[in-house]
Amino acid sequence: MSARRICWCLLLTISAMAVLFVAAGMPLPVLYLIQARANMLPVLHTACGDGKCEPPENVSSCPADCPGVTTPAMCGEEPHSDPAGDAVAWGSAPEHRVSSAAECCERCVAHAASPKNAKRPCNSWVFCYMPHCWSLDNGNTHTFGECWLKWQTNPRQPLYGQRGKYTETFRRRNWDKHLTGKMPDGSPRNLSVPTHVPWTGGVLGTLVQYPRVTWSTDIEGIMISSAGERIVPWRAWESRKQNLARGVKAELIP
C-alpha cells in the first residue's frame, strides 16, 4: 500500500472514531485533540515536473520526470540526455541490446575493465528506454534496449549531444523527422518530436546535479541549463575550426 493511501486510511479511521466518541458523550477537548492529531498527518503530493518519478507517474503520464535515475551514482546517469563520444559498441546491434539502464552501465564498466579495450575504454553510455526513441538521425529507427557504449577523450569535461527538454522552437523545426518510414516490424513509423530527450545515459564518475539543475535543448542543439550555463555541442564531423566558429568552447573539443 502506498504512503498516500495509508495517510488517507488513517484520516478516515480517525474521523470515524471521532463520530463514535461524540455519540458516546466524549468531552469536546478530547475530540479537538483527536482532530488536531489528524490534521498533523502528512499530505503527500506528487507533482509532474519536480524531477522525481513517483507513483502514479510513469513514462507516459509524466515524461518530464520518468523514468528518473535508475542506476548507481558511479554511472553518472542524467535522465533525458544523450552523452556524446566515439561509439565503441553499436547499440543497434542485437548483441548490444539490454533490458535496463543499469545493465547498460554495467556493460560500459565491463568494457572499460577489459585490457583489450585499453586504448578506447567505454566511459559514457546511452540507453533507449522507449519503444521508439526519437532522434535527429531520421534515417535510423532506434528502439527499446539499444545500449550505446562510447569513449570520450576527456570525461572530466563530459560532452552531450542533447539534454533535458526540447524547446518548442526545436520541436517545430524537427516536427516531421520521424513521421515517415517503417519500424523494424514493417509497421508505419509515426512519431512526432517528444517533449524531452527520450534517452538516458551517463559519463562514468560524473557528479550529476539532477534534478537540481535541469537542461533544455534548442535549435542547432544548443543546450541551456537552469543555472544559466549555455553549451554549443561539439560535432565530430566538423573540423576544429568549424566547431570553434559555431561557438563550441575550446576545452570541449577533443
mmCIF file of all heavy atoms in Angstrom, residues 199-240:
data_model
loop_
_atom_site.group_PDB
_atom_site.id
_atom_site.type_symbol
_atom_site.label_atom_id
_atom_site.label_comp_id
_atom_site.label_asym_id
_atom_site.label_seq_id
_atom_site.Cartn_x
_atom_site.Cartn_y
_atom_site.Cartn_z
ATOM 1 N N TRP A 199 16.081 9.508 -24.252
ATOM 2 C CA TRP A 199 17.199 8.628 -23.939
ATOM 3 C C TRP A 199 17.663 8.936 -22.523
ATOM 4 O O TRP A 199 17.413 10.016 -22.000
ATOM 5 C CB TRP A 199 18.383 8.869 -24.886
ATOM 6 C CG TRP A 199 18.105 8.631 -26.337
ATOM 7 C CD1 TRP A 199 17.461 9.471 -27.196
ATOM 8 C CD2 TRP A 199 18.471 7.489 -27.117
ATOM 9 N NE1 TRP A 199 17.402 8.933 -28.456
ATOM 10 C CE2 TRP A 199 18.018 7.703 -28.438
ATOM 11 C CE3 TRP A 199 19.153 6.303 -26.820
ATOM 12 C CZ2 TRP A 199 18.221 6.778 -29.455
ATOM 13 C CZ3 TRP A 199 19.355 5.388 -27.840
ATOM 14 C CH2 TRP A 199 18.890 5.623 -29.137
ATOM 15 N N THR A 200 18.344 7.995 -21.919
ATOM 16 C CA THR A 200 19.013 8.270 -20.649
ATOM 17 C C THR A 200 20.441 7.741 -20.764
ATOM 18 O O THR A 200 20.695 6.767 -21.474
ATOM 19 C CB THR A 200 18.293 7.605 -19.454
ATOM 20 O OG1 THR A 200 18.863 8.092 -18.231
ATOM 21 C CG2 THR A 200 18.389 6.083 -19.486
ATOM 22 N N GLY A 201 21.352 8.419 -20.123
ATOM 23 C CA GLY A 201 22.742 7.996 -20.236
ATOM 24 C C GLY A 201 23.605 8.689 -19.213
ATOM 25 O O GLY A 201 23.131 9.499 -18.405
ATOM 26 N N GLY A 202 24.887 8.384 -19.260
ATOM 27 C CA GLY A 202 25.778 9.000 -18.290
ATOM 28 C C GLY A 202 27.233 8.881 -18.693
ATOM 29 O O GLY A 202 27.591 8.116 -19.587
ATOM 30 N N VAL A 203 28.046 9.662 -18.029
ATOM 31 C CA VAL A 203 29.501 9.608 -18.170
ATOM 32 C C VAL A 203 30.029 9.079 -16.840
ATOM 33 O O VAL A 203 29.772 9.683 -15.798
ATOM 34 C CB VAL A 203 30.096 10.984 -18.496
ATOM 35 C CG1 VAL A 203 31.615 10.893 -18.632
ATOM 36 C CG2 VAL A 203 29.484 11.533 -19.790
ATOM 37 N N LEU A 204 30.721 7.948 -16.870
ATOM 38 C CA LEU A 204 31.144 7.284 -15.644
ATOM 39 C C LEU A 204 31.917 8.224 -14.725
ATOM 40 O O LEU A 204 32.828 8.924 -15.156
ATOM 41 C CB LEU A 204 32.017 6.067 -15.972
ATOM 42 C CG LEU A 204 31.362 4.945 -16.789
ATOM 43 C CD1 LEU A 204 32.328 3.779 -16.944
ATOM 44 C CD2 LEU A 204 30.064 4.470 -16.140
ATOM 45 N N GLY A 205 31.513 8.231 -13.460
ATOM 46 C CA GLY A 205 32.214 9.028 -12.468
ATOM 47 C C GLY A 205 31.820 10.482 -12.409
ATOM 48 O O GLY A 205 32.311 11.228 -11.554
ATOM 49 N N THR A 206 30.917 10.921 -13.295
ATOM 50 C CA THR A 206 30.497 12.325 -13.311
ATOM 51 C C THR A 206 29.484 12.598 -12.196
ATOM 52 O O THR A 206 28.555 11.823 -11.985
ATOM 53 C CB THR A 206 29.862 12.685 -14.672
ATOM 54 O OG1 THR A 206 30.818 12.513 -15.702
ATOM 55 C CG2 THR A 206 29.378 14.129 -14.679
ATOM 56 N N LEU A 207 29.662 13.701 -11.495
ATOM 57 C CA LEU A 207 28.709 14.109 -10.463
ATOM 58 C C LEU A 207 27.561 14.844 -11.140
ATOM 59 O O LEU A 207 27.743 15.926 -11.700
ATOM 60 C CB LEU A 207 29.393 15.024 -9.431
ATOM 61 C CG LEU A 207 28.489 15.568 -8.318
ATOM 62 C CD1 LEU A 207 27.920 14.427 -7.480
ATOM 63 C CD2 LEU A 207 29.261 16.547 -7.447
ATOM 64 N N VAL A 208 26.395 14.262 -11.090
ATOM 65 C CA VAL A 208 25.218 14.830 -11.751
ATOM 66 C C VAL A 208 24.371 15.585 -10.738
ATOM 67 O O VAL A 208 24.078 15.075 -9.653
ATOM 68 C CB VAL A 208 24.385 13.723 -12.422
ATOM 69 C CG1 VAL A 208 23.137 14.316 -13.076
ATOM 70 C CG2 VAL A 208 25.221 12.999 -13.473
ATOM 71 N N GLN A 209 23.962 16.798 -11.077
ATOM 72 C CA GLN A 209 23.172 17.640 -10.180
ATOM 73 C C GLN A 209 21.682 17.595 -10.476
ATOM 74 O O GLN A 209 20.945 18.494 -10.131
ATOM 75 C CB GLN A 209 23.679 19.086 -10.256
ATOM 76 C CG GLN A 209 25.095 19.255 -9.753
ATOM 77 C CD GLN A 209 25.545 20.711 -9.829
ATOM 78 O OE1 GLN A 209 25.514 21.322 -10.892
ATOM 79 N NE2 GLN A 209 25.944 21.262 -8.699
ATOM 80 N N TYR A 210 21.240 16.553 -11.144
ATOM 81 C CA TYR A 210 19.826 16.376 -11.460
ATOM 82 C C TYR A 210 19.082 15.931 -10.207
ATOM 83 O O TYR A 210 19.583 15.101 -9.457
ATOM 84 C CB TYR A 210 19.694 15.312 -12.554
ATOM 85 C CG TYR A 210 18.278 15.021 -12.990
ATOM 86 C CD1 TYR A 210 17.699 15.740 -14.019
ATOM 87 C CD2 TYR A 210 17.537 14.028 -12.377
ATOM 88 C CE1 TYR A 210 16.398 15.476 -14.419
ATOM 89 C CE2 TYR A 210 16.245 13.758 -12.764
ATOM 90 C CZ TYR A 210 15.689 14.488 -13.798
ATOM 91 O OH TYR A 210 14.394 14.222 -14.193
ATOM 92 N N PRO A 211 17.867 16.422 -9.906
ATOM 93 C CA PRO A 211 17.099 17.388 -10.698
ATOM 94 C C PRO A 211 17.334 18.846 -10.301
ATOM 95 O O PRO A 211 16.590 19.724 -10.725
ATOM 96 C CB PRO A 211 15.661 16.992 -10.386
ATOM 97 C CG PRO A 211 15.732 16.545 -8.946
ATOM 98 C CD PRO A 211 17.078 15.880 -8.790
ATOM 99 N N ARG A 212 18.353 19.115 -9.456
ATOM 100 C CA ARG A 212 18.574 20.499 -9.023
ATOM 101 C C ARG A 212 18.918 21.396 -10.205
ATOM 102 O O ARG A 212 18.568 22.575 -10.234
ATOM 103 C CB ARG A 212 19.702 20.545 -7.981
ATOM 104 C CG ARG A 212 19.852 21.895 -7.316
ATOM 105 C CD ARG A 212 20.618 21.768 -6.008
ATOM 106 N NE ARG A 212 21.960 21.246 -6.190
ATOM 107 C CZ ARG A 212 23.021 21.999 -6.484
ATOM 108 N NH1 ARG A 212 22.873 23.300 -6.651
ATOM 109 N NH2 ARG A 212 24.214 21.469 -6.602
ATOM 110 N N VAL A 213 19.644 20.843 -11.181
ATOM 111 C CA VAL A 213 19.955 21.570 -12.413
ATOM 112 C C VAL A 213 19.342 20.812 -13.572
ATOM 113 O O VAL A 213 19.611 19.630 -13.752
ATOM 114 C CB VAL A 213 21.474 21.711 -12.616
ATOM 115 C CG1 VAL A 213 21.764 22.368 -13.965
ATOM 116 C CG2 VAL A 213 22.093 22.525 -11.489
ATOM 117 N N THR A 214 18.492 21.469 -14.333
ATOM 118 C CA THR A 214 17.857 20.838 -15.488
ATOM 119 C C THR A 214 18.286 21.548 -16.765
ATOM 120 O O THR A 214 18.786 22.679 -16.732
ATOM 121 C CB THR A 214 16.325 20.873 -15.364
ATOM 122 O OG1 THR A 214 15.900 22.235 -15.191
ATOM 123 C CG2 THR A 214 15.866 20.050 -14.164
ATOM 124 N N TRP A 215 18.054 20.871 -17.900
ATOM 125 C CA TRP A 215 18.532 21.389 -19.186
ATOM 126 C C TRP A 215 17.416 21.438 -20.206
ATOM 127 O O TRP A 215 16.399 20.756 -20.072
ATOM 128 C CB TRP A 215 19.656 20.506 -19.717
ATOM 129 C CG TRP A 215 20.918 20.567 -18.919
ATOM 130 C CD1 TRP A 215 21.188 19.905 -17.755
ATOM 131 C CD2 TRP A 215 22.077 21.345 -19.208
ATOM 132 N NE1 TRP A 215 22.437 20.223 -17.304
ATOM 133 C CE2 TRP A 215 23.015 21.105 -18.174
ATOM 134 C CE3 TRP A 215 22.426 22.225 -20.239
ATOM 135 C CZ2 TRP A 215 24.274 21.707 -18.152
ATOM 136 C CZ3 TRP A 215 23.674 22.825 -20.213
ATOM 137 C CH2 TRP A 215 24.580 22.563 -19.184
ATOM 138 N N SER A 216 17.647 22.232 -21.238
ATOM 139 C CA SER A 216 16.775 22.241 -22.407
ATOM 140 C C SER A 216 17.656 22.274 -23.643
ATOM 141 O O SER A 216 18.792 22.756 -23.612
ATOM 142 C CB SER A 216 15.831 23.454 -22.398
ATOM 143 O OG SER A 216 16.567 24.669 -22.471
ATOM 144 N N THR A 217 17.131 21.707 -24.734
ATOM 145 C CA THR A 217 17.867 21.677 -25.995
ATOM 146 C C THR A 217 17.115 22.509 -27.021
ATOM 147 O O THR A 217 15.940 22.267 -27.285
ATOM 148 C CB THR A 217 18.035 20.231 -26.505
ATOM 149 O OG1 THR A 217 18.800 19.481 -25.548
ATOM 150 C CG2 THR A 217 18.765 20.203 -27.839
ATOM 151 N N ASP A 218 17.805 23.483 -27.606
ATOM 152 C CA ASP A 218 17.181 24.417 -28.532
ATOM 153 C C ASP A 218 17.678 24.152 -29.956
ATOM 154 O O ASP A 218 18.396 23.186 -30.216
ATOM 155 C CB ASP A 218 17.505 25.853 -28.098
ATOM 156 C CG ASP A 218 16.505 26.874 -28.627
ATOM 157 O OD1 ASP A 218 15.615 26.484 -29.412
ATOM 158 O OD2 ASP A 218 16.616 28.054 -28.262
ATOM 159 N N ILE A 219 17.322 25.035 -30.856
ATOM 160 C CA ILE A 219 17.737 24.941 -32.251
ATOM 161 C C ILE A 219 19.251 24.775 -32.337
ATOM 162 O O ILE A 219 20.005 25.357 -31.565
ATOM 163 C CB ILE A 219 17.297 26.209 -33.023
ATOM 164 C CG1 ILE A 219 15.770 26.234 -33.144
ATOM 165 C CG2 ILE A 219 17.924 26.262 -34.407
ATOM 166 C CD1 ILE A 219 15.176 25.106 -33.937
ATOM 167 N N GLU A 220 19.701 23.976 -33.309
ATOM 168 C CA GLU A 220 21.110 23.671 -33.528
ATOM 169 C C GLU A 220 21.731 22.916 -32.350
ATOM 170 O O GLU A 220 22.951 22.821 -32.224
ATOM 171 C CB GLU A 220 21.923 24.954 -33.802
ATOM 172 C CG GLU A 220 21.420 25.790 -34.962
ATOM 173 C CD GLU A 220 21.395 25.015 -36.274
ATOM 174 O OE1 GLU A 220 22.200 24.077 -36.428
ATOM 175 O OE2 GLU A 220 20.559 25.346 -37.139
ATOM 176 N N GLY A 221 20.875 22.356 -31.488
ATOM 177 C CA GLY A 221 21.381 21.540 -30.396
ATOM 178 C C GLY A 221 21.978 22.313 -29.245
ATOM 179 O O GLY A 221 22.621 21.722 -28.361
ATOM 180 N N ILE A 222 21.801 23.632 -29.215
ATOM 181 C CA ILE A 222 22.353 24.435 -28.111
ATOM 182 C C ILE A 222 21.645 24.057 -26.817
ATOM 183 O O ILE A 222 20.415 24.044 -26.737
ATOM 184 C CB ILE A 222 22.192 25.939 -28.402
ATOM 185 C CG1 ILE A 222 23.039 26.328 -29.616
ATOM 186 C CG2 ILE A 222 22.598 26.772 -27.189
ATOM 187 C CD1 ILE A 222 22.850 27.753 -30.067
ATOM 188 N N MET A 223 22.437 23.737 -25.787
ATOM 189 C CA MET A 223 21.891 23.283 -24.509
ATOM 190 C C MET A 223 22.023 24.384 -23.458
ATOM 191 O O MET A 223 23.096 24.970 -23.299
ATOM 192 C CB MET A 223 22.620 22.022 -24.056
ATOM 193 C CG MET A 223 22.340 20.821 -24.966
ATOM 194 S SD MET A 223 23.523 19.463 -24.755
ATOM 195 C CE MET A 223 24.910 20.063 -25.744
ATOM 196 N N ILE A 224 20.919 24.648 -22.761
ATOM 197 C CA ILE A 224 20.880 25.713 -21.769
ATOM 198 C C ILE A 224 20.399 25.128 -20.443
ATOM 199 O O ILE A 224 19.389 24.420 -20.397
ATOM 200 C CB ILE A 224 19.945 26.847 -22.220
ATOM 201 C CG1 ILE A 224 20.383 27.389 -23.589
ATOM 202 C CG2 ILE A 224 19.911 27.963 -21.186
ATOM 203 C CD1 ILE A 224 19.395 28.353 -24.215
ATOM 204 N N SER A 225 21.147 25.409 -19.376
ATOM 205 C CA SER A 225 20.786 24.857 -18.070
ATOM 206 C C SER A 225 19.985 25.857 -17.256
ATOM 207 O O SER A 225 20.015 27.068 -17.508
ATOM 208 C CB SER A 225 22.050 24.454 -17.294
ATOM 209 O OG SER A 225 22.644 25.581 -16.686
ATOM 210 N N SER A 226 19.294 25.326 -16.243
ATOM 211 C CA SER A 226 18.524 26.189 -15.348
ATOM 212 C C SER A 226 19.438 27.063 -14.499
ATOM 213 O O SER A 226 18.985 28.022 -13.883
ATOM 214 C CB SER A 226 17.645 25.321 -14.433
ATOM 215 O OG SER A 226 18.441 24.388 -13.709
ATOM 216 N N ALA A 227 20.746 26.724 -14.475
ATOM 217 C CA ALA A 227 21.720 27.534 -13.737
ATOM 218 C C ALA A 227 22.326 28.624 -14.609
ATOM 219 O O ALA A 227 23.193 29.385 -14.163
ATOM 220 C CB ALA A 227 22.828 26.642 -13.191
ATOM 221 N N GLY A 228 21.883 28.706 -15.879
ATOM 222 C CA GLY A 228 22.354 29.761 -16.769
ATOM 223 C C GLY A 228 23.495 29.372 -17.678
ATOM 224 O O GLY A 228 23.975 30.196 -18.465
ATOM 225 N N GLU A 229 23.941 28.112 -17.624
ATOM 226 C CA GLU A 229 25.042 27.679 -18.495
ATOM 227 C C GLU A 229 24.530 27.423 -19.903
ATOM 228 O O GLU A 229 23.437 26.897 -20.100
ATOM 229 C CB GLU A 229 25.674 26.408 -17.931
ATOM 230 C CG GLU A 229 26.933 25.970 -18.663
ATOM 231 C CD GLU A 229 27.599 24.766 -18.017
ATOM 232 O OE1 GLU A 229 27.034 24.237 -17.030
ATOM 233 O OE2 GLU A 229 28.662 24.352 -18.485
ATOM 234 N N ARG A 230 25.330 27.807 -20.895
ATOM 235 C CA ARG A 230 24.965 27.628 -22.297
ATOM 236 C C ARG A 230 26.079 26.872 -23.007
ATOM 237 O O ARG A 230 27.236 27.286 -22.970
ATOM 238 C CB ARG A 230 24.749 28.989 -22.967
ATOM 239 C CG ARG A 230 24.296 28.937 -24.425
ATOM 240 C CD ARG A 230 24.087 30.362 -24.934
ATOM 241 N NE ARG A 230 23.554 30.396 -26.282
ATOM 242 C CZ ARG A 230 24.294 30.349 -27.386
ATOM 243 N NH1 ARG A 230 25.631 30.263 -27.287
ATOM 244 N NH2 ARG A 230 23.739 30.391 -28.578
ATOM 245 N N ILE A 231 25.731 25.744 -23.633
ATOM 246 C CA ILE A 231 26.738 24.898 -24.289
ATOM 247 C C ILE A 231 26.354 24.667 -25.742
ATOM 248 O O ILE A 231 25.250 24.212 -26.053
ATOM 249 C CB ILE A 231 26.877 23.547 -23.571
ATOM 250 C CG1 ILE A 231 27.379 23.752 -22.132
ATOM 251 C CG2 ILE A 231 27.820 22.624 -24.327
ATOM 252 C CD1 ILE A 231 27.496 22.480 -21.339
ATOM 253 N N VAL A 232 27.276 24.985 -26.624
ATOM 254 C CA VAL A 232 27.115 24.671 -28.046
ATOM 255 C C VAL A 232 27.748 23.299 -28.258
ATOM 256 O O VAL A 232 28.899 23.082 -27.885
ATOM 257 C CB VAL A 232 27.812 25.723 -28.936
ATOM 258 C CG1 VAL A 232 27.656 25.362 -30.405
ATOM 259 C CG2 VAL A 232 27.237 27.110 -28.657
ATOM 260 N N PRO A 233 27.015 22.348 -28.820
ATOM 261 C CA PRO A 233 27.523 20.987 -28.917
ATOM 262 C C PRO A 233 28.666 20.827 -29.924
ATOM 263 O O PRO A 233 28.658 21.428 -30.995
ATOM 264 C CB PRO A 233 26.302 20.175 -29.357
ATOM 265 C CG PRO A 233 25.494 21.163 -30.154
ATOM 266 C CD PRO A 233 25.675 22.476 -29.427
ATOM 267 N N TRP A 234 29.640 20.018 -29.535
ATOM 268 C CA TRP A 234 30.723 19.649 -30.443
ATOM 269 C C TRP A 234 30.209 18.646 -31.468
ATOM 270 O O TRP A 234 29.417 17.758 -31.138
ATOM 271 C CB TRP A 234 31.864 19.018 -29.649
ATOM 272 C CG TRP A 234 32.894 18.327 -30.500
ATOM 273 C CD1 TRP A 234 33.827 18.917 -31.282
ATOM 274 C CD2 TRP A 234 33.083 16.917 -30.652
ATOM 275 N NE1 TRP A 234 34.600 17.967 -31.922
ATOM 276 C CE2 TRP A 234 34.156 16.727 -31.542
ATOM 277 C CE3 TRP A 234 32.441 15.797 -30.119
ATOM 278 C CZ2 TRP A 234 34.610 15.466 -31.919
ATOM 279 C CZ3 TRP A 234 32.882 14.535 -30.488
ATOM 280 C CH2 TRP A 234 33.949 14.382 -31.377
ATOM 281 N N ARG A 235 30.627 18.803 -32.715
ATOM 282 C CA ARG A 235 30.223 17.884 -33.778
ATOM 283 C C ARG A 235 31.443 17.161 -34.326
ATOM 284 O O ARG A 235 32.393 17.793 -34.798
ATOM 285 C CB ARG A 235 29.514 18.644 -34.905
ATOM 286 C CG ARG A 235 28.169 19.236 -34.493
ATOM 287 C CD ARG A 235 27.584 20.091 -35.597
ATOM 288 N NE ARG A 235 26.278 20.649 -35.221
ATOM 289 C CZ ARG A 235 25.630 21.570 -35.910
ATOM 290 N NH1 ARG A 235 26.179 22.062 -37.025
ATOM 291 N NH2 ARG A 235 24.456 22.012 -35.508
ATOM 292 N N ALA A 236 31.393 15.839 -34.243
ATOM 293 C CA ALA A 236 32.542 15.031 -34.655
ATOM 294 C C ALA A 236 32.847 15.162 -36.145
ATOM 295 O O ALA A 236 34.003 15.006 -36.561
ATOM 296 C CB ALA A 236 32.284 13.564 -34.306
ATOM 297 N N TRP A 237 31.834 15.462 -36.948
ATOM 298 C CA TRP A 237 32.031 15.523 -38.397
ATOM 299 C C TRP A 237 32.541 16.887 -38.876
ATOM 300 O O TRP A 237 32.795 17.076 -40.059
ATOM 301 C CB TRP A 237 30.736 15.170 -39.125
ATOM 302 C CG TRP A 237 29.591 16.092 -38.831
ATOM 303 C CD1 TRP A 237 29.260 17.242 -39.501
ATOM 304 C CD2 TRP A 237 28.626 15.952 -37.785
ATOM 305 N NE1 TRP A 237 28.159 17.830 -38.941
ATOM 306 C CE2 TRP A 237 27.740 17.054 -37.892
ATOM 307 C CE3 TRP A 237 28.426 14.999 -36.781
ATOM 308 C CZ2 TRP A 237 26.666 17.216 -37.015
ATOM 309 C CZ3 TRP A 237 27.351 15.177 -35.907
ATOM 310 C CH2 TRP A 237 26.495 16.263 -36.029
ATOM 311 N N GLU A 238 32.689 17.823 -37.945
ATOM 312 C CA GLU A 238 33.216 19.134 -38.309
ATOM 313 C C GLU A 238 34.667 19.280 -37.849
ATOM 314 O O GLU A 238 35.100 18.635 -36.892
ATOM 315 C CB GLU A 238 32.381 20.250 -37.676
ATOM 316 C CG GLU A 238 30.968 20.368 -38.235
ATOM 317 C CD GLU A 238 30.194 21.517 -37.622
ATOM 318 O OE1 GLU A 238 30.669 22.115 -36.634
ATOM 319 O OE2 GLU A 238 29.109 21.826 -38.132
ATOM 320 N N SER A 239 35.404 20.126 -38.521
ATOM 321 C CA SER A 239 36.790 20.383 -38.135
ATOM 322 C C SER A 239 36.823 21.223 -36.860
ATOM 323 O O SER A 239 35.810 21.797 -36.441
ATOM 324 C CB SER A 239 37.519 21.130 -39.253
ATOM 325 O OG SER A 239 36.984 22.439 -39.409
ATOM 326 N N ARG A 240 38.002 21.300 -36.260
ATOM 327 C CA ARG A 240 38.144 22.120 -35.058
ATOM 328 C C ARG A 240 37.784 23.575 -35.363
ATOM 329 O O ARG A 240 37.099 24.235 -34.575
ATOM 330 C CB ARG A 240 39.594 22.037 -34.551
ATOM 331 C CG ARG A 240 39.859 22.894 -33.312
ATOM 332 C CD ARG A 240 41.317 22.803 -32.854
ATOM 333 N NE ARG A 240 41.550 23.662 -31.708
ATOM 334 C CZ ARG A 240 41.309 23.343 -30.450
ATOM 335 N NH1 ARG A 240 40.824 22.143 -30.175
ATOM 336 N NH2 ARG A 240 41.548 24.181 -29.460
#
